[in-house]
Amino acid sequence: MRFSVSSRTIAIILSLLVAAVLTTLAWLGPTLPFEQGVLAAGITVAACFLLLYLMFEALIFREINNIYEGLEHIKRKEFRRMSSKFLFRPEPLKRMRDEILDMAQRKQQEIDELKRLQALRREFLADVSHELKTPIFAAQGFVHTILDDDDVDEFTRKKFLQKAATSLDALDALVQDLVTISQLEKGVVRMRRQSFELPQLVLDIFEQLELKAARRSVTLELSLPPALVPEQVRVLADRNRIRQVLINLIDNAIKYGRENGHVRVSLQESGKGIRISVQDDGEGIPKQHQNRIFERFYRIDKSRTRESRDAGGSGLGLAISKHIVEAHRSTIRVRSEIGQGTTLEFKLPRPRRAPEETV
């Protein structure tokens, strides 16, 4: 059982011990009468108490409180002079111990976080170098084949140049995505919020991705509750950036959904906003991967990596979408079960009604 003893208690105990020794010696002394022995004991107790108490408070405890003040400065990152109320408080050793342990725990958490970020940085650099080498080597191969072989006919030359151009276009898209996500992470990209019709934007994206969906026989569907009129489903957001998010989500749903399946975009009222859900009927995402799919270049399996590269994906679409949605003060949530498909959803605010529109 742990208990604490104050400086005053320690001083009293030591004073009594010293006084008891001195009084015993005086009592046993042949030349000291009884009355003088009692008086000597009292004087000894008082003197020892004052000396020891002042020693503990003025020397030891005051220095410890000075150390504690320094810890307070470090913790609060303040350099103003501390108030005198921090001096002569009870149990300074225990307070200092608890404070040091707390600071040590926080520092260890910071170290662990730095180690995690360092591992992510190494993984990111390895992924970037791999993703950059693929289109570069492909373009180099096609160009050098044309340069090294003088007997290449015009048709083959044009075909190889087209493939090299495709590889360079993929490289350009990857670099642009890297620049975009870097700017989003730094917060230098401003969201230009405006009021626009969300259903019309979804239909425009369906038209843009129609050929890609047709290759996998995927049906694109827009779902609205009966009470909602499409023209009245308006949100306040950056239209171009939300378009980019929806293209990424719908494109992923087409690629990873089931062939001859459905991709459904649902718009529902949610408080003062509109909740957007993109649902596919693919194989689903395992639980251990669901919190990491928004990381840059994160790979669930190699087959998805090859499929994504063949389809022209940079591996940054979901990471960019996450930053754009968070810049709108919202969050992308993932719901997925193995064999039951995946749903990605986020929420956007509705515009406030203008005074002339209020009834």
Side-chain angles (χ1 to χ4, degrees), residues 42-198:
I43 296 174
T44 304
V45 169
C48 290
F49 172 79
L50 291 176
L51 291 175
L52 292 174
Y53 183 77
L54 290 176
M55 180 186 68
F56 274 102
E57 289 289 351
L59 299 179
I60 299 177
F61 284 180
R62 179 171 294 180
E63 291 301 320
I64 291 175
N65 273 286
N66 289 334
I67 298 174
Y68 182 74
E69 273 192 68
L71 292 176
E72 288 286 339
H73 287 310
I74 296 173
K75 182 179 69 173
R76 299 183 181 182
K77 296 181 180 181
E78 296 176 353
F79 298 96
R80 59 183 176 82
R81 188 173 181 177
M82 298 291 291
S83 172
S84 60
K85 65 181 180 181
F86 289 100
L87 298 177
F88 300 105
R89 285 172 57 180
E91 303 181 6
L93 287 174
K94 182 177 182 300
R95 288 190 297 113
M96 187 175 69
R97 172 184 173 277
D98 294 341
E99 195 66 36
I100 291 175
L101 290 177
D102 182 62
M103 290 182 63
Q105 183 179 7
R106 292 198 301 272
K107 292 300 179 183
Q108 186 60 48
Q109 291 175 351
E110 293 176 2
I111 292 173
D112 294 340
E113 179 66 14
L114 288 175
K115 289 181 179 179
R116 186 186 71 85
L117 293 176
Q118 185 179 15
L120 289 177
R121 182 180 62 84
R122 287 197 299 264
E123 182 181 351
F124 172 69
L125 291 176
D127 289 336
V128 168
S129 62
H130 176 76
E131 296 292 338
L132 289 175
K133 285 190 297 184
T134 301
I136 290 175
F137 287 168
Q140 281 181 331
F142 292 127
V143 172
H144 283 296
T145 300
I146 297 174
L147 293 175
D148 296 340
D149 191 351
D150 296 332
D151 298 331
V152 176
D153 58 89
E154 186 64 24
F155 175 78
T156 303
R157 183 188 303 271
K158 185 176 181 180
K159 181 180 178 181
F160 279 14
L161 287 175
Q162 287 177 343
K163 290 185 176 181
T166 301
S167 297
L168 292 176
D169 288 341
L171 177 63
D172 178 69
L174 174 60
V175 173
Q176 291 297 327
D177 284 346
L178 287 171
V179 172
T180 299
I181 197 170
S182 176
Q183 291 175 339
L184 288 169
E185 289 179 344
K186 292 179 180 178
V188 298
V189 178
R190 296 184 61 183
M191 297 296 133
R192 300 179 179 178
R193 290 174 172 81
Q194 58 180 318
S195 175
F196 63 91
E197 294 181 10
L198 191 56

Side-chain angles (χ1 to χ4, degrees), residues 311-323:
S314 67
L316 295 171
L318 289 180
I320 292 174
S321 300
K322 173 179 177 290
H323 284 289

